[in-house]
Amino acid sequence: MAKRPQLMAYATLSLISAYCALPFFWAALASFDGNASLFLKWPEDWTTANYTRIFTVENGLTWFMNSLIVVGAATVLTMVLGGLGGYALSRSNAWWKRPFLYTILLIRVVPPPALIVPLYKVLLTANRAVQEVLRAVLPPDMLRPAMRVFGLVDGYLGMILILTALQLPLALWILKTFFDTVSRDYDEAALLDGASLMQRIRLVLLPLALPGLAAAGLFAFISAWGDFLMPLIFISSPELQMLPLGLFRAFLRVNTVDWGFLTALAVLYMVPSVVAFGFARGFLVRTFGGGVKG
């Protein structure tokens, strides 16, 4: 009798897991099916053409590289700013600390579509200033390539800053909470040993902060990697398009949906997030399991 509730719980969890895994199973099978359709079926014509076509016929390599550059840079910037800001907030006793934390949390709660119009106007004005500066220091034939990198609208830099701003509030909360679990004795011991600020950060705080940084970086990467709205609004050049836009346009093909190509692209789209979670899983458990006790 004691085992019956446990068996029921395992059976329920198994059904829920199977239901959740079914779309992924369909996508994996359809990506290798030469005649893929909307319905789940075992492939009769196994092929890898759907995957090779992403890179040989379509602009799959460009989509992946743009996404990796933008999301990777935004994740690193979020970790750096979140780490420094989280440490400062954790060690500060200023009266404005708690109102500031709740304010940035409220900013994170605001739906991104509500920010589109004011954000676009601000970045468009700043983008004109950047263009004027680059025009003054670069030859005309170098202006467009430079704007692809430093442009705040239709440029790498703008997308990196936007994604960083969207992910930074949560990263600050995670890292501030994590540094609260790190004893101040480490800071005081390094200070007594004569370590400079940079030495304390590099030799003491950075090794201790790795679990928190990995957790914040994982959330930032997964959220930025799956962001569709911001690239749709702020990227217009074909050579700068990111993977979410490629997936969206693959679904909007004329006449009919190529389910084989679409699912192959979706499977590849999921791989970086799964790999990132695999690398950060251990740090994630340590971060939300109590951090570092001193």
Side-chain angles (χ1 to χ4, degrees), residues 111-126:
L115 303 173
I116 291 296
V117 174
L119 183 60
Y120 191 88
K121 287 189 174 183
V122 170
L123 291 182
L124 187 61
T125 303

Side-chain angles (χ1 to χ4, degrees), residues 215-228:
L218 175 64
F219 283 112
F221 181 87
I222 291 177
S223 181
W225 185 260
D227 195 310
F228 168 75

Side-chain angles (χ1 to χ4, degrees), residues 35 39 66 155 213 231 248 255 270-271 276 281:
N35 299 305
F39 304 101
N66 288 336
L213 289 172
F248 173 67
N255 298 328
M270 290 186 290
V271 169
R281 181 182 59 182

Side-chain angles (χ1 to χ4, degrees), residues 66-82 156-168 171 216-217 219-225 242:
N66 288 336
S67 293
L68 289 174
I69 291 171
V70 171
V71 176
T75 301
V76 172
L77 189 57
T78 300
M79 292 170 65
V80 172
L81 297 178
Y156 282 133
L157 182 60
M159 278 306 307
I160 291 170
L161 294 179
I162 291 170
L163 294 179
T164 301
L166 290 176
Q167 310 310 321
L168 191 56
F219 283 112
F221 181 87
I222 291 177
S223 181
W225 185 260
M242 298 168 59

Side-chain angles (χ1 to χ4, degrees), residues 192-290:
L192 289 175
D193 288 339
S196 64
L197 176 62
M198 293 306 299
Q199 288 176 327
R200 295 201 302 270
I201 293 175
R202 180 169 55 90
L203 300 176
V204 179
L205 295 177
L206 186 59
L208 292 174
L210 280 179
L213 289 172
L218 175 64
F219 283 112
F221 181 87
I222 291 177
S223 181
W225 185 260
D227 195 310
F228 168 75
L229 181 62
M230 296 304 169
L232 178 66
I233 300 299
F234 291 95
I235 297 294
S236 58
S237 298
E239 63 270 18
L240 295 178
Q241 286 185 357
M242 298 168 59
L243 199 52
L245 297 181
L247 191 65
F248 173 67
R249 288 180 170 85
F251 187 74
L252 293 181
R253 296 296 171 88
V254 182
N255 298 328
T256 184
V257 177
D258 189 345
W259 293 106
F261 174 78
L262 183 64
T263 52
L265 189 59
V267 170
L268 292 179
Y269 186 33
M270 290 186 290
V271 169
S273 296
V274 174
V275 173
F277 178 78
F279 277 113
R281 181 182 59 182
F283 291 116
L284 196 66
V285 173
R286 289 170 57 186
T287 300
F288 295 102

Side-chain angles (χ1 to χ4, degrees), residues 1-7:
M1 293 295 294
K3 292 184 178 180
R4 190 170 181 179
Q6 189 175 11
L7 291 175

